[in-house]
């Protein structure tokens, strides 16, 4: 799952906290982080085992409710 949002001080930690709530087996150390070329956006790539489509939908909704996430792929 790739999560893209505006770069800010606590963006990555917020994303990882939400992912850990929805996927307890996820290891935050395995997340990949990348900045956009102009430094405005940050993407975090995580690998989780989704239990169902509803599981992914719930994760997507929780990430968007943070107000920091612009797109979830």
């Amino acid at each position: 799952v790739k999560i893209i949002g505006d770069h800010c001080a606590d963006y990555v930690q917020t994303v990882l906290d939400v992912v850990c709530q929805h996927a307890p087996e996820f290891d935050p150390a395995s997340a990949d982080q990348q900045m956009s070329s102009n430094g405005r956006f940050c993407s975090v790539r995580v690998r989780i085992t989704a239990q169902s489509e509803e599981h992914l939908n719930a994760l997507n909704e929780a990430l968007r409710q943070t107000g920091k996430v612009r797109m979830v792929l």
Side-chain angles (χ1 to χ4, degrees):
V1 178
K2 189 173 188 176
I3 305 135
I4 303 167
D6 294 321
H7 175 67
C8 65
D10 62 344
Y11 171 74
V12 173
Q13 189 59 51
T14 300
V15 167
L16 295 178
D17 288 347
V18 171
V19 172
C20 285
Q21 289 173 0
H22 288 268
E25 76 285 354
F26 172 68
D27 176 15
S30 69
D32 297 321
Q33 176 183 344
Q34 185 174 7
M35 295 296 297
S36 65
S37 59
N38 64 4
R40 181 172 175 205
F41 300 104
C42 180
S43 70
V44 179
R45 183 175 297 156
V46 299
R47 290 171 183 83
I48 63 168
T49 302
Q51 305 302 317
S52 64
E53 185 176 345
E54 291 79 20
H55 184 211
L56 287 175
N57 289 339
L59 175 60
N60 181 28
E61 185 62 29
L63 287 165
R64 290 184 176 275
Q65 284 180 356
T66 65
K68 298 178 181 186
V69 173
R70 290 191 173 255
M71 189 180 310
V72 180
L73 306 171

